Amino acid sequence: MNKPIDPALLQSAEAFADYAANTAARIDTDAEAQALAQGARVGISRPHESAHLHVAGEATYTDDLPELAGTLHCALGLSPVAAGRLEGLDLDAIRAMPGVVDVIVADDIPGANDCGSIVHDDPLLCDGEIRFLGQPLFAVIARTRTEARRAAARAKEAARVVPAEPVLTPQQAHARGQYVVPPMHLARSDKGIAVRAAIEAAPHRLTGQLDVGGQEQFYLEGQISYAIPKEGGTMQVYCSTQHPTEMQHLVAHALHLHSNEVHIECRRMGGGFGGKESQSGLFACIAAVAANKLRRPVKLRPDRDDDFLITGRRHCFWYEYEVGFDDEGRILGAEISMVSRAGHSADLSGPVMTRALCHFDNAYWLPEVSMHGFSGRTNTQSNTAFRGFGGPQGAIAVEYVLDSIARQLGRDALDVRRANFYGKTERNVTPYGQTVRDNVIHELVGQLEASSDYRERREAIEAFNAKSPVLKRGMALTPIKFGISFNVPHFNQAGALVHVYTDGSILVNHGGTEMGQGLNTKVAQVVAHELGVEFERVRATATDTTKVANTSATAASTGADLNGKAAQDAARQIRERLADFAARRHGGTPDAVRFANGKAQVAGRELTFATLVAEAYTDRVQLWSDGFYSTPGLHWNSQTMQGHPFYYFAYGAAVSEVVIDTLTGEWKLLRADVLHDAGRSLNPAVDIGQVEGAFIQGMGWLTTEELVWHPGNGKLLTHAPSTYKIPTANDCPPVFNVRLFDGPNAEDSIHRSKAVGEPPLLLPFSVFFAIRDAVSAAGGHRIEPPLRAPATSEAILRALTAVQAASADA
């Protein structure tokens, strides 16, 4: 259990939370103060609703819940090989180990042995075919976690396996035609025939390949589920998950129960980033199966190494491309094949590839384009959602192409990018048929170019490089256009429940989950604004399948859009009932009643909100309401890959400047300037924090976070913090200028705000291409740098060696 801290330290914690919310250099605090005085509760920078609990150590996570008497602990026995057949398990020695209560195998699962999200191809426990090294073979249930782990560690001795040759890379899977879902093809016209003619007729052509690695979510709180059997064979599961409803369905299927017999609850997560959207299912189901069999509470919390070995992550991609372009660098035709490492099962690889294909265009008009997506089946962990959900993998490919075009033409890459931007009223239809109606990329990039002194610094970098033989600097400005909505239209719905109590306090529950991103803070602000009360009156509770049913995952950057609108709908109904009652009791008309700053103005009188609520209760006015929202105008044909999959687009741009050491491959980010489009931000401080965090996380994906599998046995070698390097505070640039673009959402989103969870992860493309620019400078910009992502120091050194060797031969 986390313990409360000294009151003096708590004061420091509260001061820290206040500091985090008041980023005065980037937020117009005077305007916010004026809006607050006028009754606004959105568009205001507030601390995260649990900030004081986080820094005080009082925020409760799943592992902090008091354990019930008789609680047992579970650990998973993992496959020691990547491919083959499980001939049998010799478990007697494991059952006899100290503290072991039971060992569960596939045959002990009363219902479906499956946790597949879309395709039912993902067994909870191995039932014969071994698919990857780390696949759960059995589950040990013991009195303590240590005893369970000690017993599960003997899986190699217990398993009788016949190994086979594993397929580990997307290229190997592609060569074998081995996919988890059928290949996808998206073309603007003529099934891709026109693109060949456009490429062949273009003044210039470019072909190439690119490797982009995957990324571990590395949530601070690992996967965990705590299952508690209830009366009548029902089950309650506390679970660290982004998708409680999916956990409800999966547990019900595993136990052969109805959904109303399974209760899932999640107060908060210590990070998710997509890794707890579908992949929390295995842990919830195994804990529930064990609890159901033994009729005792069971907790399953793998350690970090096992978490790495069992769960999937961001898909790595391999690309082959060919483009035709003109003298200005405008793309006339482009064809690209994208092959992902999907892993052993489908999981969310299909939707991830769909979004990758729909984001290859990024911010650019592609008059003729043909795209092909292949989700390669490999003997590795089943890859899954990660912040951006395929969008970053799609968009980085076109950025790489444009950067290469600029180098081939000897032009500034920003000028080439700008020449390809979508237009406002023409050249504004995406390859999948959606018209871009909210394009602000021209204004946004223009503002950033000026505020970052891009042109002046570019000249200064050239002068520096001319005099520096060892250290080389590079700079890049990259834009983003990111579609907001789930790929599947029916997921774009949400519900909420709002209670007003007789003392005027308010409780809100919604279907979204809080993973540190500030969703509960924003929803509480929306409710406070709608009812005209102080933010402090509103409290958001744990996500709970018994309160709001049939929810979608908190993913696709839709958390505030969907749940904010649903909560607003519920609060509006209560406000309208209170207005009707106030007019009946005190005179006037309902539409003349005003709610602001915790008071109601009616017929020349002013009542406190609590007084009006108390009066309404005695008059038997309903003081609670449910709310619902579904995003309008969405449609998608998965067969033709055409439609209107996104409600709107979020835009942004970043400028990064780096320096590299040509002798060692070491590099450093010197400065980053970011301008991001959050519409009319609900909470500027929270949104700026999201942009900053996404930038550093995306930079890690593209520079330091390298996943390595042993080429022989298929073991993930980078399975711990000692071998897998996420960015630290030292990797943040000394100059980090982050601002929000001023402009409302063109669509009727919640208070005209825009999603800010996933889009800014694409902003550090600028870091990768700044590194590529610096590598290019080592060869006098005469040779195109063969740099892959992640651009680790080793990868940079290899690219430098290639550039320098080619320059010497030129």
Side-chain angles (χ1 to χ4, degrees), residues 192-471:
I193 297 173
V195 74
R196 295 306 316 163
I199 293 173
E200 291 169 6
H204 306 279
R205 294 171 69 176
L206 176 71
T207 62
Q209 298 180 352
L210 173 65
D211 269 303
V212 175
Q215 184 180 23
E216 165 63 32
Q217 290 90 356
F218 216 105
Y219 24 66
L220 289 180
E221 176 203 31
Q223 299 279 1
I224 180 169
S225 288
Y226 186 28
I228 303 170
K230 296 291 186 177
E231 63 181 17
T234 61
M235 187 64 60
Q236 180 174 10
V237 183
Y238 294 95
C239 183
S240 184
T241 181
Q242 296 172 236
H243 202 343
T245 290
E246 183 174 342
M247 298 307 104
Q248 180 186 38
H249 294 166
L250 292 174
V251 170
H253 294 158
L255 298 182
H256 201 61
L257 297 174
H258 296 295
S259 291
N260 66 358
E261 296 173 297
V262 177
H263 173 195
I264 308 292
E265 182 175 324
C266 178
R267 171 62 184 93
R268 60 171 61 84
M269 287 166 278
F273 308 116
K276 295 176 181 175
E277 182 175 344
S278 63
Q279 301 232 333
S280 46
L282 183 146
F283 306 97
C285 289
I286 294 297
V289 167
N292 179 70
K293 181 181 180 183
L294 301 172
R295 303 312 297 168
R296 290 173 66 177
V298 173
K299 180 184 285 188
L300 173 50
R301 177 170 66 86
D303 71 356
R304 183 69 66 177
D305 288 79
D306 286 350
D307 194 323
F308 263 77
L309 289 174
I310 296 168
T311 63
R313 44 199 59 85
R314 184 188 300 282
H315 297 69
C316 76
F317 270 55
W318 176 72
Y319 312 82
E320 285 187 309
Y321 58 84
E322 182 177 8
V323 295
F325 55 97
D326 65 16
D327 293 339
E328 302 299 312
R330 283 186 288 263
I331 293 177
L332 304 177
E335 184 165 18
I336 186 167
S337 291
M338 307 183 187
V339 187
S340 71
R341 179 192 273 122
H344 71 91
S345 69
D347 197 85
L348 297 172
S349 293
V352 165
M353 182 57 74
T354 299
R355 187 170 282 263
L357 296 174
C358 288
H359 281 76
F360 175 66
D361 64 322
N362 195 18
Y364 310 110
W365 160 252
L366 304 176
E368 289 298 341
V369 61
S370 181
M371 296 171 274
H372 316 284
F374 306 91
S375 301
R377 185 189 299 275
T378 55
N379 293 114
T380 57
Q381 297 79 5
S382 189
N383 285 327
T384 188
F386 194 126
R387 194 176 195 174
F389 200 81
Q393 293 99 311
I396 196 171
V398 76
E399 293 297 339
Y400 195 89
V401 166
L402 288 169
D403 190 73
S404 297
I405 288 173
R407 299 193 182 286
Q408 185 167 318
L409 294 176
R411 299 174 64 88
D412 188 289
L414 174 57
D415 296 332
V416 171
R417 289 184 167 99
R418 183 175 271 128
N420 284 279
F421 279 167
Y422 273 110
K424 297 276 191 177
T425 58
E426 59 181 5
R427 295 163 41 98
N428 65 338
V429 179
T430 66
Y432 46 89
Q434 179 168 344
T435 301
V436 181
R437 304 184 188 279
D438 56 2
N439 189 359
V440 297
I441 198 65
H442 299 270
E443 301 92 322
L444 190 150
V445 168
Q447 287 184 26
L448 182 63
E449 179 185 5
S451 66
S452 66
D453 299 320
Y454 175 84
R455 300 293 175 179
E456 296 84 349
R457 289 167 59 201
R458 171 63 75 191
E459 293 178 0
I461 287 171
E462 291 178 3
F464 173 88
N465 288 339
K467 297 179 180 179
S468 177
V470 174
L471 299 180

